[in-house]
Amino acid sequence: MSDLYERKNPHRLYRDRENAILAGVCAGLADYFGLNRRGLRLIAAVCTFFFMPFMVPAYIILAIILPARPANLYEDENQEKFWRGVSMAPSDVFSNLSHRFKELDRRLQKMEAFVTSREFTMDRELGRNHRPGSGKQR
């Protein structure tokens, strides 16, 4: 099997044998793209009727090439939700991460400003423990 399916991102294209009718290709595609399984199967059946010389070999090739979905693909629901979000709306996920990093950077700048301040130096020299932002000594 290719190392493509052994990387960290578990949200990859697999055959879903648990929800399969034939080989699980349509169920896997529906799961990957977040579509309704019945709707995708209906579209595949209609396309097979009109484009049989293309659809039947394509289905067989996908059934052979795609690995079956592992039983324990995600550790928990939060991990599955995260990877679906990355797949469906990567800009939202990355803007959220960017916002978090900006907030952490802002907090780090405030701590750095306090630690490099004269007040901190004086408190340290006098032996006082001062918590930033609290205005109280411990």
Side-chain angles (χ1 to χ4, degrees):
M1 191 180 337
S2 171
D3 69 330
L4 177 69
Y5 289 96
E6 295 172 8
R7 293 186 187 155
K8 279 288 189 197
N9 181 353
H11 191 69
R12 299 235 180 252
L13 186 55
Y14 294 105
R15 287 182 296 125
D16 187 359
R17 301 191 80 192
E18 293 177 12
N19 299 307
I21 290 181
L22 291 177
V25 173
C26 288
L29 287 170
D31 183 50
Y32 182 76
F33 291 111
L35 303 172
N36 184 327
R37 283 190 300 268
R38 288 182 183 166
L40 186 65
R41 286 176 181 145
L42 180 64
I43 291 170
V46 170
C47 287
T48 300
F49 181 72
F50 289 108
F51 306 107
M52 187 177 289
F54 172 73
M55 289 296 291
V56 172
Y59 189 91
I60 292 170
I61 290 170
L62 285 174
I64 293 170
I65 291 176
L66 293 178
R69 179 180 176 180
N72 55 353
L73 186 60
Y74 301 106
E75 292 175 11
D76 57 9
E77 278 187 34
N78 289 332
Q79 186 185 32
E80 181 176 1
K81 187 176 178 181
F82 172 78
W83 285 112
R84 285 198 185 282
V86 168
S87 175
M88 299 302 168
S91 61
D92 292 345
V93 172
F94 291 116
S95 67
N96 185 19
L97 286 174
S98 174
H99 173 71
R100 285 176 144 176
F101 280 121
K102 285 178 185 176
E103 180 65 24
L104 287 171
D105 186 48
R106 187 186 61 76
R107 289 174 57 195
L108 185 61
Q109 287 175 358
K110 285 176 72 175
M111 288 185 344
E112 184 179 10
F114 177 74
V115 169
T116 57
S117 70
R118 296 187 86 208
E119 179 184 355
F120 180 79
T121 305
M122 290 176 77
D123 284 347
R124 196 176 72 201
E125 287 175 0
L126 294 173
R128 293 186 281 183
N129 292 328
H130 188 339
R131 295 173 64 194
S134 67
K136 297 181 182 177
Q137 295 178 356
R138 294 192 313 167

